[in-house]
Amino acid sequence: KDLKDFVAQVRRNFGQDVPAPELDRYGYREKFQYWAEAFLTMMMIATGILLWFGSETMALFPKFVIDIIRIFHGSEATLAFVAIFLWHIYNVHASPGRVTLPATALTGLVPLEAVRENHPVEYERLMKERDRP
């Protein structure tokens, strides 16, 4: 479903008359950001360990591999900053129609109207649970 939602959103962004994807609590954006952060963290740990134990790494790999690891480690830190900070700020707080209310940022509670608009599948589930005796 995430791939279909992503394709539908891309088609909408290119001006095609496609209905907006109906997202659950965690849509494709949140899942992608989560997995990107997990992957970047694992890569930072692996490259950091290789750099930390430089002598042992030099015994295993030629110098150009160490240079590539150093470049990769530094570039990853920049990418992690951009992905986690800037992308999160835009998608959650600054994207048109998704401006987070100050109370939401402080309490973590999302108004029901915002849930209905941004996560319709979750909204329907919440309404069914509320109506159940």
Side-chain angles (χ1 to χ4, degrees):
K1 183 169 176 339
D2 291 331
L3 183 60
K4 288 180 183 179
D5 289 345
F6 174 73
V7 170
Q9 187 62 50
V10 169
R11 290 177 64 195
R12 282 178 57 85
N13 291 347
F14 282 111
Q16 293 183 3
D17 189 22
V18 177
E22 292 190 354
L23 304 175
D24 202 350
R25 181 174 190 161
Y26 302 108
Y28 65 91
R29 285 182 182 144
E30 292 90 355
K31 291 175 186 176
F32 182 77
Q33 189 172 3
Y34 174 82
W35 285 110
E37 186 175 333
F39 176 75
L40 287 172
T41 300
M42 290 296 138
M43 294 308 293
M44 287 293 288
I45 290 170
T47 57
I49 288 172
L50 290 173
L51 291 172
W52 194 1
F53 297 103
S55 298
E56 290 82 0
T57 305
M58 284 293 281
L60 294 173
F61 301 108
K63 175 146 179 8
F64 78 91
V65 173
I66 307 301
D67 294 337
I68 291 171
I69 290 171
R70 183 173 284 119
I71 292 168
F72 190 70
H73 188 76
S75 299
E76 241 179 300
T78 305
L79 179 62
F81 170 77
V82 170
I84 294 167
F85 184 73
L86 297 179
W87 186 7
H88 172 79
I89 293 296
Y90 177 76
N91 279 319
V92 176
H93 303 288
S95 118
R98 302 243 354 211
V99 177
T100 306
L101 301 172
T104 301
L106 295 174
T107 65
L109 301 174
V110 181
L112 202 54
E113 282 301 310
V115 174
R116 184 171 61 84
E117 185 177 320
N118 297 315
H119 303 278
V121 175
E122 180 183 17
Y123 177 79
E124 290 299 323
R125 186 174 52 250
L126 290 171
M127 292 301 103
K128 286 178 184 174
E129 288 175 5
R130 187 177 76 174
D131 294 339
R132 210 173 21 194

